[in-house]
Amino acid sequence: MPDTTTVIVGGGHSGLAMSHCLAARSVDHVVLERGEVANSWRTQRWDSLRLLTPNWMTRLPGYAYRGADPDGYLSARQVTAMLEDYAGATAAPVLTGTTVTSVRADGRGYIVRTDQGTWRAPTVVLACGAAALPTVPALAGLVPDEITSVTPAGYRNPGELPGGGVLVVGASASGVQLADELHRSGRPVTLAVGEHVRMPRTYRGRDILWWLDACGVLNQRYDEVDDLVRARNVPSMQLVGSPGRTVDLNALTSAGVRLVGRLAGIAGGVAQFSGSLPNVCALADLKLGRLLNTIDARAGTAGERFAPTVVRSAPLSLDLRSGQIAAIVWATGYRPDLSWLDVPVLDHKGRVVHDGGVTACPGLYLIGMPFLRRRKSSLIDGAADDAAELTRHLAGHLDALAGRRERNAS
Ligand SMILES: Cc1cc2nc3c(=O)[nH]c(=O)nc-3n(C[C@H](O)[C@H](O)[C@H](O)COP(=O)(O)OP(=O)(O)OC[C@H]3O[C@@H](n4cnc5c(N)ncnc54)[C@H](O)[C@@H]3O)c2cc1C
């Protein structure tokens, strides 16, 4: 059984950032990746996807974007190439094609079983992705058989869907981008809208993410927020990686997308939508206004304000057997897949309980989750600070283990 000091599970940007920080402290480690480096960008992203974060935010420990287009947005293929280059440049010890099938504690640390053999290590870092699986509500099972159901992880382009109307469920980043793309492909699109985060692409002449970065919003720490559970579940921002283009609900309705409320149920083939659409839109407008006030306070003068979201009377039901809808896109979020983790750190919903990525099982760490240590934790730009802090903690744990061994030996 090979031994190492740290096993990192996952060769996405989080695992590679962690590897870079461990190497800088000379901590012997291995990165186990079931596919290739950047597997999720190769296998789980639609064809037209571009990052919604501008290129200058594509920063990792020891890496900064130096291309000719700092204000552009990388395509999924470019992200893959960037991560491949990063893994090569940092000489990350990645073992590809190696699926971790279980991690369990033993007296001396952890036994990590894979389909290529078993590793033993005193420390393990779970970097296996916050968005490993699409979250699809149970009511998807009530959709009539003739309707095609897809998730953003499986969807590639409009040509893959049958002709006819599309119901997109969920109006966060994936939902608004796919509603926009499907509408542009000539399909009638209905968008079911629940709680969402309205965001203009640009404000006061700059990308909104420049302002969020400059105002410290993205750097806000997990131990500074009042309601961390809520903060970790805030939907993604309604943004698309296209210079100057906003895909908020007003943009979509002016283009011809029909809005309905949150999908609340399906009975007898009829979809039922919540009547809360005006309220959730008013709330999103209010929160956007507060954010713009914060930005204005930093800028020192009042800036423009955007028109409130226009909500026309929205139907409360839609007969899915009427032929109006040929496909449903479940843009209802993502979740990690830790079904193979055999260590008692999961809550009743199967989520790892942790304090800023440090679990209650000594030597077991987590990285890459929403608001792990900062608001930006799930973004590429969030990995550097989180990996540095977790590496410090991990190194301290190793020192403590070494001290204990020395005391026992003497
Ligand atoms: C649609 C979408 C758009 C996004 N857009 C942006 C953006 O614009 N800007 C931004 O900064 N962030 C964006 N993100 C968020 C984030 O950057 C990505 O989710 C990113 O892929 C997370 O990197 P990661 O390394 O934490 O996880 P992943 O990239 O998911 O990497 C985890 C790795 O672990 C591997 N793995 C999982 N289980 C096992 C196992 N049992 N054994 C071995 N290997 C395993 C996987 O194959 C995978 O390669 C986006 C996310 C999504 C879903």
Side-chain angles (χ1 to χ4, degrees), residues 10 12-14 33-34 39-41 45 51-53 100 378 380:
H13 79 255
S14 299
E33 167 55 55
R34 63 182 170 189
N39 193 47
S40 62
W41 293 100
R45 307 286 188 258
L51 289 187
L52 48 78
T53 43
V100 172
S378 58
I380 294 169

Side-chain angles (χ1 to χ4, degrees), residues 16-303:
L16 297 175
M18 201 65 207
S19 167
H20 179 85
C21 293
L22 290 175
R25 283 194 178 238
S26 304
V27 176
D28 174 46
H29 65 280
V30 66
V31 182
L32 304 181
E33 167 55 55
R34 63 182 170 189
E36 298 290 319
V37 162
N39 193 47
S40 62
W41 293 100
R42 293 171 198 270
T43 62
Q44 294 186 317
R45 307 286 188 258
W46 59 92
D47 296 346
S48 65
L49 177 76
R50 288 189 169 269
L51 289 187
L52 48 78
T53 43
N55 292 341
W56 58 264
M57 272 183 82
T58 306
R59 300 178 280 213
L60 286 168
Y63 171 89
Y65 177 83
R66 288 201 184 80
D69 188 16
D71 298 321
Y73 309 90
L74 294 185
S75 67
R77 195 170 292 177
Q78 288 170 321
V79 178
T80 304
M82 181 274 291
L83 291 177
E84 269 178 344
D85 288 352
Y86 182 64
T90 57
V94 186
L95 294 182
T96 56
T98 305
T99 301
V100 172
T101 53
S102 84
V103 172
R104 69 179 172 78
D106 80 346
R108 291 184 295 148
Y110 297 91
I111 308 280
V112 180
R113 288 193 200 287
T114 83
D115 60 354
Q116 305 296 321
T118 300
W119 289 79
R120 184 190 288 280
T123 53
V124 170
V125 181
L126 305 171
C128 36
L133 296 173
T135 305
V136 177
L139 54 79
L142 302 172
V143 171
D145 290 344
E146 60 274 21
I147 293 183
T148 302
S149 273
V150 292
T151 66
Y155 168 88
R156 289 294 166 270
N157 56 63
E160 287 186 343
L161 294 191
V166 182
L167 170 63
V168 177
V169 184
S172 294
S174 298
V176 294
Q177 289 181 34
L178 297 186
D180 181 51
E181 170 162 298
L182 289 162
H183 175 73
R184 283 163 184 265
S185 77
R187 288 173 168 75
V189 173
T190 303
L191 177 62
V193 181
E195 186 196 352
H196 57 276
V197 178
R198 184 180 179 191
M199 205 56 70
R201 181 72 269 181
T202 50
Y203 185 57
R204 304 182 72 115
R206 287 188 180 272
D207 194 291
I208 191 70
L209 284 164
W210 186 90
W211 287 110
L212 298 188
D213 189 50
C215 294
V217 173
L218 296 174
N219 261 329
Q220 193 180 15
R221 286 182 58 89
Y222 76 114
D223 42 14
E224 288 169 2
V225 292
D226 293 336
D227 185 347
L228 184 56
V229 174
R230 161 120 193 92
R232 285 183 169 154
N233 285 296
V234 167
S236 57
M237 297 175 267
Q238 287 178 333
L239 284 174
V240 63
S242 174
R245 204 158 80 77
T246 292
V247 283
D248 63 9
L249 299 181
N250 281 349
L252 291 173
T253 42
S254 335
V257 171
R258 173 172 65 164
L259 303 187
V260 292
R262 191 176 61 82
L263 179 61
I266 299 176
V270 177
Q272 293 148 350
F273 303 108
S274 157
S276 63
L277 183 61
N279 288 348
V280 292
C281 291
L283 189 61
D285 288 352
L286 187 78
K287 287 185 177 167
L288 174 60
R290 279 195 210 132
L291 176 67
L292 300 183
N293 290 344
T294 304
I295 293 173
D296 288 351
R298 181 179 186 282
T301 55

